[in-house]
Amino acid sequence: MESKIVVIGGGTAGVRLARQLGVHGVDVTVLGEEPHAPYNRLLLAEVLAGRYGPEVIALPEAPVRRGVRATAIDRDLRLVHCADGTSVAYERLVLATGSNPVLPPLRGLAGELPDGVHPFRTLDDCAALSAAVRPGIHAVVVGGGLLGVSAARALAARGARVVLAQQGEHLMERHLDVSASQLLRGHLESLGVEVHTECRVRGLRGTAVELADGYVLDSELVVLACGVRPRVGLAHAAGLEVRRGIVVDDELRTSDPYIYAIGDCAEHDGQVYGLAGPALEQADVLASVLTSAPELTSAPDLTSAPELISASPRYTGTRALTRLTLTGPGPATAGPLDLAAFGDPTPRPGDDVVQLADATRGAYRKVVVRGDRLVGGVLFGDLAAVGALARAWEGDEALPESVPLLHLLTNDGGL
């Protein structure tokens, strides 16, 4: 089988790229390892909570060969070898292999996961958890980042008795400041989730969770939500430059001029994003890069060297905003969970900080301004101003002198 462009990975980045290239009539083959139609991972928690069926989170249609796992790349012959015995020839190859869940080095976790212990990364993981959860079951979620918080809330919505164990000082410490994290903790506790921070897990005894101080949390169900790691095995085995992710330049090109990488697996300018926004932006830029190559949009023969391809758009990085909105079933008093964070919410000496807190509504807004630039912010419970704030931050433009800083936190961001 031959294809001008082969994409390994049927997730958000790979599907976006395939659809963009399809508009230009470029021949694309997408190899998707999972048997399911491509789906939006950001909504897995809503499926686990019972709000959505799996079909609701499907991504737009794309030419994906489902259930096909790429096992090796032959760079000399420009072939992708697959586990089903087939090979796919390419003129350009795009790695959109995403990331794998991090499995912490715990006692009792050697080899395959014990029965009752689950990661939470794929639709199959979600299905396995959905089959296991029942009202009153004791569950422990290990990890208090975005994924762990989402899993804990979803399990609580299904009636599980949930304990959330977070090693760090506060929940979602990569994204939230202490005040927002305290509100998040209160929200989870209103759903019946028991939250423990500065709580290091040492090992597993089946589904019982052993803490560093020797205390054991009895549990029937364990969810490991300890973050993700770029999936770089194929690239590494093929001899591509790999650091934390697959190293790419401003054209998203790897150390092989015929191979590109986008999404969670890519490392650009030392940065691995692991977020949907940068993945989509990288896919759009790469679509423009590839469609600017005449040999890919007209004659199938590759007659010009990659370095002679005409000038094309460049990827210069993404100022990524993290947003989490969960509306699944739960006590009416808890309401939905809405939060957003961008930039650095920790002020330096001399920075201006504006905060508004409404304890009654469980709402909190904070922005950090350095000179005339918005450099970070956190919003919890009320995201009415997030659009204007995100535009001001992403554009990295000087704030209007006529706008008082307090107005940055009004519903239209004051802009």
Side-chain angles (χ1 to χ4, degrees):
M1 178 179 178
E2 295 184 358
S3 186
K4 288 191 174 182
I5 297 176
V6 174
V7 180
I8 301 178
T12 299
V15 167
R16 175 67 161 249
L17 176 63
R19 289 180 60 83
Q20 295 287 71
L21 292 173
V23 170
H24 293 274
V26 178
D27 180 24
V28 184
T29 296
V30 181
L31 306 178
E33 184 172 337
E34 295 187 55
H36 315 286
Y39 56 89
N40 185 347
R41 293 188 195 279
L42 298 178
L43 296 176
L44 283 176
E46 297 285 51
V47 175
L48 180 57
R51 180 173 175 80
Y52 297 154
E55 70 282 352
V56 175
I57 68 170
L59 293 172
E61 282 193 33
V64 179
R65 290 179 56 194
R66 302 184 200 174
V68 178
R69 181 170 63 88
T71 57
I73 301 167
D74 187 324
R75 292 168 53 191
D76 293 329
L77 297 178
R78 288 189 223 153
L79 288 174
V80 177
H81 299 296
C82 303
D84 62 4
T86 62
S87 296
V88 184
Y90 64 85
E91 293 187 18
R92 294 289 190 276
L93 177 64
V94 180
L95 301 177
T97 48
S99 52
N100 285 325
V102 172
L103 299 182
L106 304 178
R107 297 177 186 174
L109 203 57
E112 293 188 4
L113 296 180
D115 289 342
V117 179
H118 302 264
F120 184 47
R121 179 64 179 164
T122 69
L123 196 54
D124 284 341
D125 296 337
C126 189
L129 281 167
S130 292
V133 70
R134 63 182 186 276
I137 193 172
H138 290 261
V140 173
V141 176
V142 180
L146 189 149
L147 198 61
V149 166
S150 300
R153 191 179 188 276
L155 292 172
R158 294 283 297 274
R161 300 176 64 178
V162 183
V163 173
L164 176 59
Q166 158 71 339
Q167 183 169 325
E169 294 182 1
H170 60 271
L171 297 175
M172 288 187 64
E173 56 187 357
R174 285 185 55 197
H175 303 100
L176 304 182
D177 64 1
V178 174
S179 296
S181 181
Q182 288 173 341
L183 286 173
L184 174 59
R185 179 172 185 153
H187 174 92
L188 291 174
E189 290 174 343
S190 74
L191 291 167
V193 178
E194 184 180 326
V195 179
H196 295 274
T197 54
E198 298 183 88
C199 175
R200 189 169 67 84
V201 174
R202 180 165 62 187
L204 298 175
R205 303 177 185 174
T207 56
V209 178
E210 180 185 2
L211 304 181
D213 61 6
Y215 186 79
V216 176
L217 297 171
D218 290 327
S219 173
E220 303 161 85
L221 184 67
V222 177
V223 179
L224 300 177
C226 305
V228 295
R229 182 179 292 115
R231 194 174 183 184
V232 299
L234 270 177
H236 190 273
L240 301 178
E241 184 181 0
V242 174
R243 294 173 194 161
R244 281 195 306 144
I246 305 166
V247 177
V248 296
D249 61 16
D250 290 352
E251 288 190 326
L252 289 315
R253 197 188 306 264
T254 69
S255 53
D256 183 318
Y258 298 98
I259 302 178
Y260 302 78
I262 56 175
D264 289 6
C265 67
E267 178 178 333
H268 175 266
D269 197 23
Q271 180 75 37
V272 177
Y273 291 97
L275 296 169
L280 294 172
E281 186 173 343
Q282 289 171 5
D284 290 346
V285 171
L286 183 54
S288 296
V289 169
L290 293 173
T291 54
S292 70
E295 67 275 12
L296 295 177
T297 54
S298 55
D301 294 331
L302 188 63
T303 56
S304 60
E307 63 271 15
L308 298 180
I309 293 175
S310 58
S312 59
R314 298 292 191 269
Y315 179 71
T316 57
T318 301
R319 295 171 69 83
L321 178 142
T322 299
R323 181 166 180 170
L324 178 63
T325 297
L326 298 175
T327 56
T333 54
L337 173 60
D338 287 312
L339 62 88
F342 57 92
D344 183 4
T346 304
R348 299 176 185 172
D351 288 349
D352 291 308
V353 181
V354 187
Q355 299 181 79
L356 292 178
D358 185 337
T360 303
R361 296 171 58 206
Y364 172 77
R365 301 181 188 180
K366 169 186 173 181
V367 292
V368 178
V369 177
R370 187 167 300 146
D372 60 0
R373 296 293 196 278
L374 186 63
V375 296
V378 177
L379 296 92
F380 184 95
D382 184 352
L383 305 190
V386 70
L389 291 174
R391 287 190 297 273
W393 179 67
E394 290 169 355
D396 194 27
E397 298 176 354
L399 297 172
E401 294 183 6
S402 60
V403 177
L405 292 182
L406 185 62
H407 287 191
L408 291 172
L409 298 181
T410 61
N411 283 356
D412 61 358
L415 302 170

